[in-house]
Each structure stands twice: as structure tokens, then as C-alpha cells.
């Protein structure tokens, strides 16, 4: 039998040996030209190549081809300088943030990257203001002031200790003012950035070919010269390509069955790297829908849903039930939905609907994306449908779309109820509440809740010591439970499957679980 713990110890041991003997050349992290680029598979294809349009896992690609002022070097849990040489708050109110750029920065096309380019990049995000786009991350930014070619000051309209985390997100990628229009998105399928790699070619929905950017000046240590990212519709096809040696690494969208099968392998040709994760999966209710907009309907669904059954039957316990929008492991996590609703109960749900004068069965359509979060999504929604209909209180219709058109649909308010996953922008409870509330948010579905947006979040952001924000986040989550506009389902773990000949996968995920492909390399000799 394949022993995951044994294999992980082997991986750790290999990594330790590599560190000790690198100087002797026993293990080399240099890829030879004959071997070709490393090939990484994922089910999360970008929805756009323009940072001004994306608040989704298009960031996976962005992190590797664009550059931000701050980022997360491997092993870091707090933002550190990347395009910047240094950054810090210059006042005691957390309202003025000063950065000085590295000297002599250039974009991949040789154009200068200066403070004006940074200001241009952030200003265009807010000017273009894509619905559901990253402008929602910049709610605390009042204006950007360029002092000189290398110095820039961000003036905030309120205290925001999380602002450095925002600057470290790939949404704040720096673009070349000569190549990106100020008032509209770039849609020609090409990229000019200053990140560790350049995008040599891009076939939408199929693959992205990355090569080392010789103009890059930042924190990343690239242990390979080129990476090809292939995009798959489902996990079985992706894992099949890994087993057939068409891929070196598979990540994002691995289905539970495939994870379990790799764990059970005894041929040692594949390794499975497992880590704790803060990915969450949840349902969103459209308040403008005549049915989903009713609080009693939402609470009845919350009362019926059996999260442990979803985790066990659909995901083979590779995920765990989640009862709060803030996942376990982060300061401020609660179990609010369990505290309020307890164990699943059709009788209690029937009472909720009856008290509100709602006749049953309630007819409702649930939407999910067919290609974003892996092939288990369909099975998950079939399980949700089964649970709701077995209560005798609901008649559920399931519908799905590919991610790109799916995003457009929920941004246009077309879906009564829809599923979303969330990979954090940064590892703080703020990022599991703030993106989903307010008139403009990551869901494109307005959620006006003044107590959270005008009181609790500002209070928490005034605290540099994040240990002091627990009560604010607990109060915010209590409101989310009372409204039941967002229904958390499960929290994921992180899995990377790789050929036994590949190293670096255990270091490739940053705190927001984005893969930094520069950490990957082949073991070329023993």
C-alpha cells in the first residue's frame, strides 16, 4: 500500500539532502534544454489576462508573469518587498503607506517600471471598475501620490492595517502604461509584465507557455527556465496525463477519488503533497430573486444541509465541514451556523417555512460552474439537491455553465442560488468577510450591511496586532449567520500531485495557496 506519510517523509528527506549537498552537485535544480519545460496541470483556467478584471484564480497565472510591490517569498506568512525595496506605514494611524521601488526596474519589453507605472496600474483598476473585479479591494484607498521615480505614497481614507496584504495580491499587478489602456481592458491575448516569467504564448482554456524573464528583479528564485501550464476540464483527465508522464505536476481541482487513488498507489512513481488549506466552498443567495430573497427560505436550507455527508460522500473526507465563512486556523473563526442551526433537521426547516407563511415544496434553481473547481462539483450539487428534496420541502433544478460564462451570469444577477469557492487573497479573517459585503464585492451581488462595512471592519483594520480583532470578526460572523445570505459548506486541504522526479512542490504554495512555479524543478541526477 502507498503510505502518504512515508512518501511525505521521503520528500522532506530529499529536500534536506538537496540542501546539504547542493554545493557538491549531487542534486541539480537546473533544467536541461533536452528535458523541455516543466508541465503543470490545473482545472482553474484564467478568466482574463488583465489584472484590472480579475478577482479569481486567474491570479495563479498573474503571480508568475506580473509583479506586485509586495509578495510572499516561500515560507513567509506576511507580505515582503518584491518590486519594492521597502514599504511601511509612516504614521501611527495606519493611513499613510510609503513604498520605495527597487532601482532600475524594467518590464519584460524593456520599458522602465517606475512609481508612475504603479500609480497608473492602481488608478486604472478603479477607473475601469469591473463588476466583481478587484476595485473592491481598494475601498480604503483615497489617492496615490508619486514623490519621484522610485517613491510612492498611498493615502488611505481610513485606517487599514490590511492594506499591505492588498498590495501583495496579484490584483495589484503592475502593468506597463504604454501597453495597457487607462480606461478599458486589454483584450488582445498578450501580456507585458515584470514578473519572474514572460507569457510566451497563450491558448485560452488549453495552455500557457511561460519562459524566464531576464529583466525580472524581485524576490523569486527560479529553479527552472520554463513552465507550461495546461488547463483541464476535469480531474480524471488531468491525473491521467500525470500518470502518462505528460505532466510533471497536477494542482487545483484534484478530485477526491483521484487523491485517494494516488494515496493508495504502491509504485512510488507519484508523490502526493498534502497541506492545511484555507480554501472554502459556499452557496450565495441572490436577494433580488423572489424565492431566494426570502430569509426563511435561506434559513430552511441552512437547517437542512448536511455538511458532514457532503465531506464524506462526495469528497471522501479530503475536505471538512465548515460552519463559518472564516475557516479554521485563522484568528476569529467561529462555528456560527452550527451554533444557530445545529444538526440537520427537516422538521425544524418545515417550521421555519411555515412560520413565514411559505408553502412547500419550494421550487428553486441551483447553479454551479462545470469546470472551475474540479469534477466533484457536479456530484456535490447532486448531493445538495438530494438532501433538500429528501426533506420534502424543496424541488430543486440544477444548472451549470463553464466558468467564463458562469461569472457573467452571476454578475448579471441571473442565478437565484449559486456555488462559489474562495481561495484567500491573503491569510487574514478580514479576507473572508470584506470581499463579500458592500455595494461592490467579489460576487457582483450587492450585500449592504452597514454594521459590518461601516463599523466592524474599520475597527478591525485599525488594529495592527491582529490578535486584537477577534470580537469584531465574531460579531461580523453573527450577522452573516442571521442574514444567511452566504452559506459555508466546507473547508479544503491543499493537495499537489507530482512525478517522483520533481522537487519543490512542498515550497511552491504561498499563504494564499497560489502556486509559484519557479520553485519547481526536476531532479536531474542522484
Amino acid at each position: 500500500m502507498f503510505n502518504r506519510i512515508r512518501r511525505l517523509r521521503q520528500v522532506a528527506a530529499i529536500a534536506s539532502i538537496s540542501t546539504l549537498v547542493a554545493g557538491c552537485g549531487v542534486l541539480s535544480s537546473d533544467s536541461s534544454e533536452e528535458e523541455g519545460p516543466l508541465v503543470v496541470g490545473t482545472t482553474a483556467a484564467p478568466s482574463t489576462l488583465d489584472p484590472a478584471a480579475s478577482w479569481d484564480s486567474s491570479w495563479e497565472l498573474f503571480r508568475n508573469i506580473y509583479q506586485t510591490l509586495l509578495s510572499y517569498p516561500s515560507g513567509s506568512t506576511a507580505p515582503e518587498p518584491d518590486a519594492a525595496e521597502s514599504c511601511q506605514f509612516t504614521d501611527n494611524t495606519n493611513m499613510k503607506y510609503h513604498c520605495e521601488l527597487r532601482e532600475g526596474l524594467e518590464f519584460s519589453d524593456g520599458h522602465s517600471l517606475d512609481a508612475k507605472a504603479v500609480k497608473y496600474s492602481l488608478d486604472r483598476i478603479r477607473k475601469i471598475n469591473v463588476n466583481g473585479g478587484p476595485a473592491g479591494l481598494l475601498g480604503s484607498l483615497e489617492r496615490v501620490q508619486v514623490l519621484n521615480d522610485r517613491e510612492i505614497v498611498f493615502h488611505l481614507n481610513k485606517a487599514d492595517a490590511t492594506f499591505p496584504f492588498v498590495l501583495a495580491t496579484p490584483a495589484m499587478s503592475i502593468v506597463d502604461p504604454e501597453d495597457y489602456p487607462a480606461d478599458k481592458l486589454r483584450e488582445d491575448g498578450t501580456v507585458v509584465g515584470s514578473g519572474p516569467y514572460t507569457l510566451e504564448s497563450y491558448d485560452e482554456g488549453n495552455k500557457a507557455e511561460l519562459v524566464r524573464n531576464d529583466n525580472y528583479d524581485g524576490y523569486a528564485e527560479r529553479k527552472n527556465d520554463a513552465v507550461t501550464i495546461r488547463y483541464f476540464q476535469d480531474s480524471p483527465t488531468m491525473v491521467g496525463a500525470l500518470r502518462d508522464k505528460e505532466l510533471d505536476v497536477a494542482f487545483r481541482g484534484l478530485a477526491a477519488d483521484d487523491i485517494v487513488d494516488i494515496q493508495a498507489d504502491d509504485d512510488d512513481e507519484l508523490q502526493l503533497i498534502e497541506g492545511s488549506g484555507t480554501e472554502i466552498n459556499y452557496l450565495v443567495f441572490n436577494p433580488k430573486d423572489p424565492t431566494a430573497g426570502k430569509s426563511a427560505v435561506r434559513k430552511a436550507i441552512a437547517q437542512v444541509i448536511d455538511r458532514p455527508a457532503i465531506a464524506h460522500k462526495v469528497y471522501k473526507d479530503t475536505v471538512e465541514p465548515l460552519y463559518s465563512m472564516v475557516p479554521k486556523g485563522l484568528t476569529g473563526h467561529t462555528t456560527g451556523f452550527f451554533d444557530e442551526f445545529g444538526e440537520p433537521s427537516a422538521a425544524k426547516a418545515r417550521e421555519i417555512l411555515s412560520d413565514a407563511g411559505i408553502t412547500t415544496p419550494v421550487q428553486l434553481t441551483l447553479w454551479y460552474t462545470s469546470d472551475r473547481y474540479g469534477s466533484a462539483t457536479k456530484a456535490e450539487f447532486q448531493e445538495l439537491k438530494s438532501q433538500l428534496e429528501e426533506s420534502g420541502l424543496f424541488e430543486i433544478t440544477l444548472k451549470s455553465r463553464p466558468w467564463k460564462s458562469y461569472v457573467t451570469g452571476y454578475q448579471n444577477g441571473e442565478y437565484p442560488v449559486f456555488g462559489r469557492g474562495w481561495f484567500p487573497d491573503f491569510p487574514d479573517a478580514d479576507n473572508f468577510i470584506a470581499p463579500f459585503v458592500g455595494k461592490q464585492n467579489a460576487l457582483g451581488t450587492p450585500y449592504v450591511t452597514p454594521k459590518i462595512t461601516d463599523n466592524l471592519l474599520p475597527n478591525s483594520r485599525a488594529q495592527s496586532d491582529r490578535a486584537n480583532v477577534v470580537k469584531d470578526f465574531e460579531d461580523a460572523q453573527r450577522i452573516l449567520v442571521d442574514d444567511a445570505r452566504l452559506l459555508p459548506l466546507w473547508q479544503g486541504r491543499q493537495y499537489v500531485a507530482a512525478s517522483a522526479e520533481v522537487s519543490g512542490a512542498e515550497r511552491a504554495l504561498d499563504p494564499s495557496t497560489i502556486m509559484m512555479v519557479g520553485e519547481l524543478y526536476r531532479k536531474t541526477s542522484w
Side-chain angles (χ1 to χ4, degrees), residues 467-489:
N468 295 330
V469 301
V470 172
K471 187 177 186 306
D472 290 324
F473 288 135
E474 288 177 346
D475 290 347
Q477 288 171 89
R478 192 170 299 114
I479 293 171
L480 296 182
V481 172
D482 290 342
D483 292 345
R485 285 271 307 273
L486 306 167
L487 187 63
L489 297 175

PDB file of all heavy atoms in Angstrom, residues 467-489:
ATOM      1  N   ALA A 467      -4.340  39.933  16.708  1.00  0.00           N
ATOM      2  CA  ALA A 467      -4.912  39.190  17.829  1.00  0.00           C
ATOM      3  C   ALA A 467      -5.990  39.995  18.541  1.00  0.00           C
ATOM      4  O   ALA A 467      -6.775  39.443  19.316  1.00  0.00           O
ATOM      5  CB  ALA A 467      -3.820  38.800  18.818  1.00  0.00           C
ATOM      6  N   ASN A 468      -6.036  41.304  18.268  1.00  0.00           N
ATOM      7  CA  ASN A 468      -6.994  42.176  18.943  1.00  0.00           C
ATOM      8  C   ASN A 468      -8.311  42.346  18.188  1.00  0.00           C
ATOM      9  O   ASN A 468      -9.130  43.187  18.559  1.00  0.00           O
ATOM     10  CB  ASN A 468      -6.366  43.558  19.171  1.00  0.00           C
ATOM     11  CG  ASN A 468      -5.193  43.509  20.126  1.00  0.00           C
ATOM     12  OD1 ASN A 468      -5.148  42.671  21.022  1.00  0.00           O
ATOM     13  ND2 ASN A 468      -4.228  44.406  19.934  1.00  0.00           N
ATOM     14  N   VAL A 469      -8.519  41.562  17.132  1.00  0.00           N
ATOM     15  CA  VAL A 469      -9.697  41.781  16.284  1.00  0.00           C
ATOM     16  C   VAL A 469     -10.727  40.657  16.403  1.00  0.00           C
ATOM     17  O   VAL A 469     -11.701  40.640  15.671  1.00  0.00           O
ATOM     18  CB  VAL A 469      -9.278  41.939  14.802  1.00  0.00           C
ATOM     19  CG1 VAL A 469      -8.326  43.112  14.642  1.00  0.00           C
ATOM     20  CG2 VAL A 469      -8.622  40.656  14.275  1.00  0.00           C
ATOM     21  N   VAL A 470     -10.526  39.751  17.338  1.00  0.00           N
ATOM     22  CA  VAL A 470     -11.380  38.572  17.435  1.00  0.00           C
ATOM     23  C   VAL A 470     -12.850  38.947  17.607  1.00  0.00           C
ATOM     24  O   VAL A 470     -13.730  38.434  16.903  1.00  0.00           O
ATOM     25  CB  VAL A 470     -10.919  37.662  18.583  1.00  0.00           C
ATOM     26  CG1 VAL A 470     -11.933  36.533  18.796  1.00  0.00           C
ATOM     27  CG2 VAL A 470      -9.551  37.077  18.277  1.00  0.00           C
ATOM     28  N   LYS A 471     -13.153  39.849  18.529  1.00  0.00           N
ATOM     29  CA  LYS A 471     -14.553  40.184  18.799  1.00  0.00           C
ATOM     30  C   LYS A 471     -15.220  40.812  17.575  1.00  0.00           C
ATOM     31  O   LYS A 471     -16.385  40.522  17.278  1.00  0.00           O
ATOM     32  CB  LYS A 471     -14.680  41.117  19.991  1.00  0.00           C
ATOM     33  CG  LYS A 471     -16.148  41.349  20.401  1.00  0.00           C
ATOM     34  CD  LYS A 471     -16.272  42.210  21.620  1.00  0.00           C
ATOM     35  CE  LYS A 471     -17.742  42.295  22.070  1.00  0.00           C
ATOM     36  NZ  LYS A 471     -18.634  42.729  20.983  1.00  0.00           N
ATOM     37  N   ASP A 472     -14.503  41.686  16.864  1.00  0.00           N
ATOM     38  CA  ASP A 472     -15.080  42.297  15.665  1.00  0.00           C
ATOM     39  C   ASP A 472     -15.469  41.230  14.645  1.00  0.00           C
ATOM     40  O   ASP A 472     -16.555  41.292  14.045  1.00  0.00           O
ATOM     41  CB  ASP A 472     -14.078  43.281  15.036  1.00  0.00           C
ATOM     42  CG  ASP A 472     -13.877  44.530  15.874  1.00  0.00           C
ATOM     43  OD1 ASP A 472     -14.857  44.989  16.487  1.00  0.00           O
ATOM     44  OD2 ASP A 472     -12.746  45.038  15.909  1.00  0.00           O
ATOM     45  N   PHE A 473     -14.606  40.247  14.453  1.00  0.00           N
ATOM     46  CA  PHE A 473     -14.904  39.210  13.470  1.00  0.00           C
ATOM     47  C   PHE A 473     -16.001  38.272  13.964  1.00  0.00           C
ATOM     48  O   PHE A 473     -16.812  37.788  13.174  1.00  0.00           O
ATOM     49  CB  PHE A 473     -13.639  38.428  13.116  1.00  0.00           C
ATOM     50  CG  PHE A 473     -12.671  39.221  12.277  1.00  0.00           C
ATOM     51  CD1 PHE A 473     -11.315  39.236  12.560  1.00  0.00           C
ATOM     52  CD2 PHE A 473     -13.119  39.970  11.199  1.00  0.00           C
ATOM     53  CE1 PHE A 473     -10.425  39.968  11.789  1.00  0.00           C
ATOM     54  CE2 PHE A 473     -12.234  40.708  10.421  1.00  0.00           C
ATOM     55  CZ  PHE A 473     -10.885  40.707  10.717  1.00  0.00           C
ATOM     56  N   GLU A 474     -16.039  38.007  15.247  1.00  0.00           N
ATOM     57  CA  GLU A 474     -17.122  37.187  15.785  1.00  0.00           C
ATOM     58  C   GLU A 474     -18.469  37.882  15.584  1.00  0.00           C
ATOM     59  O   GLU A 474     -19.453  37.246  15.198  1.00  0.00           O
ATOM     60  CB  GLU A 474     -16.878  36.914  17.269  1.00  0.00           C
ATOM     61  CG  GLU A 474     -15.748  35.934  17.533  1.00  0.00           C
ATOM     62  CD  GLU A 474     -15.480  35.742  19.013  1.00  0.00           C
ATOM     63  OE1 GLU A 474     -15.977  36.566  19.823  1.00  0.00           O
ATOM     64  OE2 GLU A 474     -14.761  34.782  19.361  1.00  0.00           O
ATOM     65  N   ASP A 475     -18.511  39.189  15.833  1.00  0.00           N
ATOM     66  CA  ASP A 475     -19.756  39.945  15.640  1.00  0.00           C
ATOM     67  C   ASP A 475     -20.162  39.957  14.167  1.00  0.00           C
ATOM     68  O   ASP A 475     -21.351  39.830  13.835  1.00  0.00           O
ATOM     69  CB  ASP A 475     -19.588  41.377  16.151  1.00  0.00           C
ATOM     70  CG  ASP A 475     -19.477  41.455  17.670  1.00  0.00           C
ATOM     71  OD1 ASP A 475     -19.761  40.450  18.335  1.00  0.00           O
ATOM     72  OD2 ASP A 475     -19.091  42.533  18.175  1.00  0.00           O
ATOM     73  N   ALA A 476     -19.178  40.111  13.276  1.00  0.00           N
ATOM     74  CA  ALA A 476     -19.477  40.122  11.838  1.00  0.00           C
ATOM     75  C   ALA A 476     -20.048  38.780  11.398  1.00  0.00           C
ATOM     76  O   ALA A 476     -21.017  38.721  10.621  1.00  0.00           O
ATOM     77  CB  ALA A 476     -18.216  40.457  11.044  1.00  0.00           C
ATOM     78  N   GLN A 477     -19.471  37.697  11.892  1.00  0.00           N
ATOM     79  CA  GLN A 477     -19.961  36.377  11.500  1.00  0.00           C
ATOM     80  C   GLN A 477     -21.360  36.105  12.060  1.00  0.00           C
ATOM     81  O   GLN A 477     -22.154  35.408  11.441  1.00  0.00           O
ATOM     82  CB  GLN A 477     -18.980  35.305  11.987  1.00  0.00           C
ATOM     83  CG  GLN A 477     -17.680  35.326  11.181  1.00  0.00           C
ATOM     84  CD  GLN A 477     -16.620  34.439  11.787  1.00  0.00           C
ATOM     85  OE1 GLN A 477     -16.540  33.257  11.473  1.00  0.00           O
ATOM     86  NE2 GLN A 477     -15.798  34.996  12.664  1.00  0.00           N
ATOM     87  N   ARG A 478     -21.671  36.687  13.202  1.00  0.00           N
ATOM     88  CA  ARG A 478     -23.019  36.535  13.756  1.00  0.00           C
ATOM     89  C   ARG A 478     -24.049  37.178  12.826  1.00  0.00           C
ATOM     90  O   ARG A 478     -25.139  36.641  12.608  1.00  0.00           O
ATOM     91  CB  ARG A 478     -23.076  37.160  15.152  1.00  0.00           C
ATOM     92  CG  ARG A 478     -24.348  36.798  15.935  1.00  0.00           C
ATOM     93  CD  ARG A 478     -24.233  37.251  17.385  1.00  0.00           C
ATOM     94  NE  ARG A 478     -23.119  36.591  18.063  1.00  0.00           N
ATOM     95  CZ  ARG A 478     -22.034  37.225  18.499  1.00  0.00           C
ATOM     96  NH1 ARG A 478     -21.900  38.520  18.330  1.00  0.00           N
ATOM     97  NH2 ARG A 478     -21.075  36.556  19.104  1.00  0.00           N
ATOM     98  N   ILE A 479     -23.691  38.308  12.257  1.00  0.00           N
ATOM     99  CA  ILE A 479     -24.574  38.979  11.297  1.00  0.00           C
ATOM    100  C   ILE A 479     -24.748  38.117  10.045  1.00  0.00           C
ATOM    101  O   ILE A 479     -25.858  37.973   9.515  1.00  0.00           O
ATOM    102  CB  ILE A 479     -24.020  40.369  10.935  1.00  0.00           C
ATOM    103  CG1 ILE A 479     -24.073  41.290  12.161  1.00  0.00           C
ATOM    104  CG2 ILE A 479     -24.789  40.983   9.765  1.00  0.00           C
ATOM    105  CD1 ILE A 479     -23.346  42.609  11.976  1.00  0.00           C
ATOM    106  N   LEU A 480     -23.649  37.535   9.564  1.00  0.00           N
ATOM    107  CA  LEU A 480     -23.728  36.684   8.375  1.00  0.00           C
ATOM    108  C   LEU A 480     -24.633  35.481   8.617  1.00  0.00           C
ATOM    109  O   LEU A 480     -25.373  35.061   7.728  1.00  0.00           O
ATOM    110  CB  LEU A 480     -22.328  36.215   7.972  1.00  0.00           C
ATOM    111  CG  LEU A 480     -21.325  37.292   7.532  1.00  0.00           C
ATOM    112  CD1 LEU A 480     -20.004  36.653   7.123  1.00  0.00           C
ATOM    113  CD2 LEU A 480     -21.880  38.141   6.400  1.00  0.00           C
ATOM    114  N   VAL A 481     -24.593  34.933   9.819  1.00  0.00           N
ATOM    115  CA  VAL A 481     -25.472  33.811  10.157  1.00  0.00           C
ATOM    116  C   VAL A 481     -26.927  34.274  10.200  1.00  0.00           C
ATOM    117  O   VAL A 481     -27.825  33.620   9.660  1.00  0.00           O
ATOM    118  CB  VAL A 481     -25.065  33.187  11.507  1.00  0.00           C
ATOM    119  CG1 VAL A 481     -26.109  32.154  11.949  1.00  0.00           C
ATOM    120  CG2 VAL A 481     -23.691  32.532  11.404  1.00  0.00           C
ATOM    121  N   ASP A 482     -27.183  35.416  10.824  1.00  0.00           N
ATOM    122  CA  ASP A 482     -28.550  35.932  10.925  1.00  0.00           C
ATOM    123  C   ASP A 482     -29.154  36.201   9.551  1.00  0.00           C
ATOM    124  O   ASP A 482     -30.337  35.944   9.317  1.00  0.00           O
ATOM    125  CB  ASP A 482     -28.573  37.217  11.764  1.00  0.00           C
ATOM    126  CG  ASP A 482     -28.293  36.960  13.242  1.00  0.00           C
ATOM    127  OD1 ASP A 482     -28.416  35.799  13.670  1.00  0.00           O
ATOM    128  OD2 ASP A 482     -27.937  37.927  13.953  1.00  0.00           O
ATOM    129  N   ASP A 483     -28.334  36.709   8.631  1.00  0.00           N
ATOM    130  CA  ASP A 483     -28.824  37.013   7.282  1.00  0.00           C
ATOM    131  C   ASP A 483     -28.912  35.765   6.407  1.00  0.00           C
ATOM    132  O   ASP A 483     -29.774  35.679   5.524  1.00  0.00           O
ATOM    133  CB  ASP A 483     -27.913  38.034   6.597  1.00  0.00           C
ATOM    134  CG  ASP A 483     -27.968  39.410   7.234  1.00  0.00           C
ATOM    135  OD1 ASP A 483     -28.909  39.663   8.011  1.00  0.00           O
ATOM    136  OD2 ASP A 483     -27.064  40.229   6.961  1.00  0.00           O
ATOM    137  N   ALA A 484     -27.998  34.833   6.613  1.00  0.00           N
ATOM    138  CA  ALA A 484     -27.930  33.596   5.807  1.00  0.00           C
ATOM    139  C   ALA A 484     -27.901  33.891   4.312  1.00  0.00           C
ATOM    140  O   ALA A 484     -28.483  33.141   3.510  1.00  0.00           O
ATOM    141  CB  ALA A 484     -29.081  32.648   6.152  1.00  0.00           C
ATOM    142  N   ARG A 485     -27.243  34.964   3.930  1.00  0.00           N
ATOM    143  CA  ARG A 485     -27.066  35.284   2.514  1.00  0.00           C
ATOM    144  C   ARG A 485     -25.938  34.445   1.898  1.00  0.00           C
ATOM    145  O   ARG A 485     -25.900  34.212   0.689  1.00  0.00           O
ATOM    146  CB  ARG A 485     -26.732  36.773   2.366  1.00  0.00           C
ATOM    147  CG  ARG A 485     -27.919  37.715   2.556  1.00  0.00           C
ATOM    148  CD  ARG A 485     -28.616  37.946   1.239  1.00  0.00           C
ATOM    149  NE  ARG A 485     -27.700  38.391   0.217  1.00  0.00           N
ATOM    150  CZ  ARG A 485     -27.353  39.654  -0.008  1.00  0.00           C
ATOM    151  NH1 ARG A 485     -27.875  40.616   0.743  1.00  0.00           N
ATOM    152  NH2 ARG A 485     -26.530  39.971  -0.975  1.00  0.00           N
ATOM    153  N   LEU A 486     -24.992  34.054   2.735  1.00  0.00           N
ATOM    154  CA  LEU A 486     -23.869  33.226   2.334  1.00  0.00           C
ATOM    155  C   LEU A 486     -23.892  31.981   3.213  1.00  0.00           C
ATOM    156  O   LEU A 486     -23.986  32.093   4.441  1.00  0.00           O
ATOM    157  CB  LEU A 486     -22.548  33.969   2.510  1.00  0.00           C
ATOM    158  CG  LEU A 486     -22.432  35.333   1.838  1.00  0.00           C
ATOM    159  CD1 LEU A 486     -21.214  36.095   2.361  1.00  0.00           C
ATOM    160  CD2 LEU A 486     -22.331  35.175   0.324  1.00  0.00           C
ATOM    161  N   LEU A 487     -23.793  30.804   2.606  1.00  0.00           N
ATOM    162  CA  LEU A 487     -23.898  29.568   3.377  1.00  0.00           C
ATOM    163  C   LEU A 487     -22.628  28.743   3.198  1.00  0.00           C
ATOM    164  O   LEU A 487     -22.443  28.074   2.178  1.00  0.00           O
ATOM    165  CB  LEU A 487     -25.113  28.768   2.917  1.00  0.00           C
ATOM    166  CG  LEU A 487     -25.444  27.517   3.740  1.00  0.00           C
ATOM    167  CD1 LEU A 487     -25.807  27.896   5.167  1.00  0.00           C
ATOM    168  CD2 LEU A 487     -26.591  26.743   3.090  1.00  0.00           C
ATOM    169  N   PRO A 488     -21.713  28.782   4.170  1.00  0.00           N
ATOM    170  CA  PRO A 488     -20.474  27.997   4.067  1.00  0.00           C
ATOM    171  C   PRO A 488     -20.773  26.509   4.094  1.00  0.00           C
ATOM    172  O   PRO A 488     -21.657  26.049   4.828  1.00  0.00           O
ATOM    173  CB  PRO A 488     -19.675  28.434   5.300  1.00  0.00           C
ATOM    174  CG  PRO A 488     -20.703  28.919   6.280  1.00  0.00           C
ATOM    175  CD  PRO A 488     -21.803  29.514   5.449  1.00  0.00           C
ATOM    176  N   LEU A 489     -20.021  25.742   3.284  1.00  0.00           N
ATOM    177  CA  LEU A 489     -20.241  24.299   3.186  1.00  0.00           C
ATOM    178  C   LEU A 489     -19.040  23.497   3.675  1.00  0.00           C
ATOM    179  O   LEU A 489     -19.172  22.621   4.514  1.00  0.00           O
ATOM    180  CB  LEU A 489     -20.587  23.912   1.753  1.00  0.00           C
ATOM    181  CG  LEU A 489     -21.876  24.508   1.187  1.00  0.00           C
ATOM    182  CD1 LEU A 489     -22.018  24.139  -0.291  1.00  0.00           C
ATOM    183  CD2 LEU A 489     -23.094  24.033   1.976  1.00  0.00           C
TER     184      LEU A 489
END
